Amino acid sequence: NAGVTQTPKFQVLKTGQSMTLQCAQDMNHEYMSWYRQDPGMGLRLIHYSVGAGITDQGEVPNGYNVSRSTTEDFPLRLLSAAPSQTSVYFCASSYNLRGGPVNEQFFGPGTRLTVL
Amino acid sequence: AQKVTQAQTEISVVEKEDVTLDCVYETRDTTYYLFWYKQPPSGELVFLIRRNSFDEQNEISGRYSWNFQKSTSSFNFTITASQVVDSAVYFCALSEDAFLNAGNMLTFGGGTRLMVKP
């Protein structure tokens, strides 16, 4: 099992550019999510998905889009990059069933994004 | 709304000292889950423990132990006989029960950077 994989590891963008951060998991987890990590603020939830075709907003969704066409993949799109989106982005997945206990999330290695 | 506070931003200890990392949480739910994650200098997030709100038993795993106290809304983490390899940022996180959507949206504390010096 590769677990949760993310590409690229590093990315530099200019203000206004768009790009997609890729995330994939091979654990057949229904739940996937994207977080951003900024110094001193812990991780904050951007978007999440409880299964293919279902997505919802987290705490800081502005400027980001997601889609979930398969169980395995959950890409994060930056529509028009801004310096405020400079951060480390983590994708995570977990095995949860509706009405069941909340399980731990498995995190990818992260993507370090710099927007100039 | 849920909130997690880790008041200690940085702690520095000498190897073999015991150290406790504090975590205080706020939630309106009666069913919730608490987690601790470790982020070593390499940057990945490593799951350490999960605790649900109905299980107040303390847990010990090797040199690690966790003290969950609902009365004070705290879930503290103690490392006994710290080692240099324990140097990392430690995050406490909270997930409220999400019956309808089976999501577990984690709310993280700001993290505590632990530095263990030889």
Side-chain angles (χ1 to χ4, degrees):
Chain A
N1 274 354
V4 180
T5 58
Q6 291 183 237
T7 55
K9 283 189 170 25
F10 301 94
Q11 183 70 50
V12 178
L13 292 178
K14 293 181 180 177
T15 297
Q17 287 185 315
S18 62
M19 80 158 295
T20 299
L21 307 185
Q22 301 292 344
C23 174
Q25 51 90 12
D26 61 359
M27 297 174 282
N28 203 32
H29 287 168
E30 290 295 326
Y31 184 88
M32 295 185 74
S33 53
W34 277 101
Y35 294 85
R36 59 177 288 173
Q37 181 178 18
D38 301 300
M41 299 186 73
L43 281 78
R44 292 181 293 168
L45 181 66
I46 304 171
H47 285 285
Y48 67 96
S49 168
V50 299
I54 307 170
T55 64
D56 206 344
Q57 297 180 350
E59 181 186 353
V60 288
N62 292 341
Y64 307 95
N65 269 358
V66 293
S67 60
R68 184 97 179 271
S69 55
T70 66
T71 299
E72 293 77 23
D73 301 299
F74 191 42
L76 177 72
R77 280 182 288 279
L78 278 70
L79 309 173
S80 177
S84 61
Q85 293 179 304
T86 293
S87 188
V88 180
Y89 291 84
F90 287 97
C91 178
S93 74
S94 65
Y95 176 71
N96 288 328
L97 294 174
R98 280 185 178 79
V102 173
N103 295 311
E104 67 272 20
Q105 296 193 28
F106 295 85
F107 285 83
T111 294
R112 186 174 294 274
L113 175 69
T114 302
V115 183
L116 303 174
Chain B
Q2 52 192 42
K3 184 178 178 182
V4 177
T5 302
Q6 294 180 256
Q8 306 148 308
T9 52
E10 278 194 15
I11 301 176
S12 181
V13 300
V14 176
E15 208 170 20
K16 297 185 184 175
E17 282 186 27
D18 297 348
V19 57
T20 295
L21 310 182
D22 297 333
C23 172
V24 174
Y25 62 91
E26 296 175 29
T27 177
R28 291 173 294 188
D29 273 15
T30 55
T31 303
Y32 51 89
Y33 298 81
L34 294 161
F35 302 81
W36 275 94
Y37 283 86
K38 174 182 179 180
Q39 187 175 44
S42 50
E44 73 272 23
L45 284 150
V46 179
F47 165 75
L48 295 178
I49 191 172
R50 181 194 76 163
R51 175 67 70 211
N52 74 51
S53 53
F54 297 109
D55 183 1
E56 286 194 74
Q57 277 191 333
N58 291 333
E59 180 151 344
I60 298 175
S61 176
R63 295 184 298 107
Y64 294 172
S65 62
W66 290 268
N67 180 259
F68 177 31
Q69 302 237 342
K70 283 178 78 169
S71 60
T72 56
S73 297
S74 64
F75 187 43
N76 296 338
F77 172 32
T78 297
I79 302 174
T80 303
S82 59
Q83 300 176 1
V84 172
V85 293
D86 296 327
S87 297
V89 180
Y90 291 87
F91 291 100
C92 180
L94 165 70
S95 175
E96 292 173 339
D97 189 34
F99 180 83
L100 291 179
N101 65 15
N104 62 341
M105 295 173 280
L106 286 177
T107 296
F108 282 82
T112 297
R113 181 177 301 276
L114 174 65
M115 293 172 286
V116 182
K117 299 177 181 176

